[in-house]
């Protein structure tokens, strides 16, 4: 079943799996409320509900909750397929009194009858621990690496993670291409949100750089990293990520910082979503058969 945010992706998933595609009817009222309606007979069916939670996050989240609840109330088993899982960055009480948002998300999923969750490149696999039913995060790194291999001609490429938290991700990516990698040390002030780059002992002069991240939101992390890498003499900079949220002026600021290209997957459909994640999602469900 396609949720309203992921019609194209759910169409290609259903075609690849050779299964029927249902579509939920969603109406939004002028005050922002939603009403969803399911027209199909879903009793005793295993339903993969595909709904990515990109901005407007809470808008798409509410559509998901209403649909999943109704599916389970009508007697189906709900397999949530949430290609971009919002709230996954706030997976801890980083400062006293903060909410670990993902813990609340997990409780909501459980309470409306979701039986399993599949997502793509969750921000940190630590977050999966909050869910009391089977959860899976599949990696888009092999698809990103394949894209680079087939489409880009790079000079002495270097893969770079804009922060240390992305080390294992960039390592997996660079191994697939057999290229060098480094992780920059970035720290973000939890009070002001400011991103600070720390010096790093790397050789980037004259090299083409591939910046790899799980997500780009405001673009701040990429801009800081690009500025730093340009200062060190890098040539082309290509940015690859799984989830391109691209909020506010992200695209303009990223381009202005000297990044030549932004490439992302279609977990979030937009102008830069050039890599299709259908294959890794379909492989996951085939492995459950
Ligand atoms: C942070 O740890 C993430 O991996 C991303 O680097 C970050 O969330 C991107 O956000 P923004 O584009 O706003 O810097």
């Amino acid at each position: 079943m396609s949720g309203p945010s992921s019609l194209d992706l759910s169409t290609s998933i259903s075609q690849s799996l050779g299964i029927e595609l249902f579509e939920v009817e969603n109406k939004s009222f002028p005050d922002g409320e939603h009403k969803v309606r399911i027209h199909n007979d879903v009793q005793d069916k295993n339903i993969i509900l595909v709904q990515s939670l990109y901005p407007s996050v809470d808008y798409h989240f509410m559509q998901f909750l209403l649909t999943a609840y109704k599916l389970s109330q009508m007697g189906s088993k709900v397999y949530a397929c949430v290609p971009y899982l919002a709230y996954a960055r706030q997976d801890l009480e980083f400062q006293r009194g903060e909410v670990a948002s993902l813990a609340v998300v997990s409780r909501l999923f459980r309470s409306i009858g979701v039986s399993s969750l599949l997502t793509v490149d969750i921000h940190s696999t630590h977050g999966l621990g909050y869910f009391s039913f089977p959860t899976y995060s599949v990696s888009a790194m092999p698809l990103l690496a394949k894209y680079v291999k087939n489409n880009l001609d790079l000079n002495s490429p270097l893969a770079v993670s804009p922060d240390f938290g992305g080390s294992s991700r960039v390592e997996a990516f660079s191994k697939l291409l057999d290229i060098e990698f480094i992780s920059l040390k970035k720290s973000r002030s939890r009070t002001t949100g400011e991103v600070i780059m720390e010096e790093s002992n790397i050789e980037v002069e004259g090299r083409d750089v591939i910046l790899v991240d799980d997500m780009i939101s405001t673009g701040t992390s990429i801009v800081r990293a690009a500025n730093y890498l340009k200062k060190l003499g890098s040539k082309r900079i290509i940015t690859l990520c799984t989830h391109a949220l691209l909020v506010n002026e992200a695209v303009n600021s990223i381009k202005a910082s000297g990044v030549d290209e932004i490439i992302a997957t279609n977990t979030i459909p937009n102008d830069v979503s050039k890599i299709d994640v259908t294959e890794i999602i379909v492989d996951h469900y085939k492995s459950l058969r």
Side-chain angles (χ1 to χ4, degrees):
M1 175 165 281
S2 168
S5 73
S6 299
L7 183 56
D8 287 350
L9 191 52
S10 35
T11 304
S12 75
I13 291 170
S14 70
Q15 282 169 354
S16 287
L17 280 171
I19 59 176
E20 213 178 335
L21 178 67
F22 292 162
E23 224 179 290
V24 64
E25 181 190 306
N26 174 71
K27 282 189 181 152
S28 301
F29 294 99
D31 61 1
E33 290 181 357
H34 301 276
K35 184 172 81 172
V36 308
R37 185 168 173 201
I38 290 164
H39 291 278
N40 313 86
D41 175 14
V42 295
Q43 192 172 2
D44 299 324
K45 288 199 163 69
N46 294 315
I47 304 282
I48 301 168
L49 172 60
V50 188
Q51 172 85 345
S52 203
L53 302 182
Y54 55 85
S56 288
V57 168
D58 292 343
Y59 183 90
H60 290 137
F61 193 45
M62 197 61 199
Q63 289 174 335
F64 170 83
L65 293 176
L66 295 173
T67 310
Y69 173 78
K70 192 62 194 164
L71 284 171
S72 105
Q73 199 190 41
M74 289 169 83
S76 58
K77 185 164 179 185
V78 184
Y79 291 79
C81 173
V82 183
Y84 169 63
L85 181 64
Y87 290 108
R89 276 181 294 181
Q90 184 71 24
D91 57 0
L92 285 173
E93 181 179 346
F94 294 103
Q95 296 190 109
R96 194 172 143 74
E98 280 183 356
V99 179
S101 309
L102 197 60
V104 179
V105 168
S106 73
R107 283 167 182 248
L108 286 169
F109 276 36
R110 177 80 185 176
S111 67
I112 55 169
V114 170
S115 306
S116 112
L117 168 69
L118 172 66
T119 187
V120 181
D121 284 326
I122 189 168
H123 179 64
S124 158
T125 48
H126 157 84
L128 297 176
Y130 285 116
F131 295 83
S132 53
F133 48 77
T135 49
Y136 310 89
S137 174
V138 288
S139 172
M141 290 304 125
L143 300 178
L144 266 53
K146 193 156 100 187
Y147 182 91
V148 171
K149 207 176 224 163
N150 296 340
N151 298 281
L152 303 176
D153 186 16
L154 300 173
N155 173 42
S156 182
L158 173 70
V160 178
S161 168
D163 64 62
F164 219 69
S167 300
S168 54
R169 195 176 301 120
V170 75
E171 184 174 359
F173 170 83
S174 61
K175 273 193 180 148
L176 292 162
L177 290 171
D178 197 20
I179 62 174
E180 279 188 302
F181 75 94
I182 50 156
S183 299
L184 300 179
K185 283 187 191 147
K186 176 191 82 174
S187 48
R188 187 191 285 268
S189 160
R190 293 218 173 271
T191 36
T192 63
E194 194 198 351
V195 178
I196 306 142
M197 304 297 305
E198 287 175 29
E199 290 297 318
S200 170
N201 192 18
I202 46 167
E203 185 54 67
V204 295
E205 176 112 39
R207 299 179 77 169
D208 288 340
V209 168
I210 312 167
L211 272 169
V212 184
D213 213 342
D214 59 333
M215 61 192 288
I216 302 174
S217 179
T218 62
T220 309
S221 310
I222 293 295
V223 168
R224 300 289 163 116
N227 288 337
Y228 181 62
L229 292 161
K230 280 280 173 198
K231 221 167 57 188
L232 296 179
S234 72
K235 264 177 107 187
R236 287 172 74 195
I237 302 183
I238 313 290
T239 290
L240 279 172
C241 73
T242 307
H243 314 292
L245 282 81
L246 302 176
V247 302
N248 303 335
E249 283 297 303
V251 174
N252 291 338
S253 6
I254 291 172
K255 290 271 164 78
S257 73
V259 169
D260 298 276
E261 215 176 327
I262 308 168
I263 300 155
T265 77
N266 60 348
T267 59
I268 300 173
N270 55 30
D271 290 348
V272 301
S273 52
K274 297 176 184 152
I275 301 171
D276 187 4
V277 293
T278 300
E279 177 188 337
I280 52 175
I281 290 176
V282 163
D283 284 350
H284 166 79
Y285 288 115
K286 279 188 178 159
S287 76
L288 299 185
R289 273 178 171 167

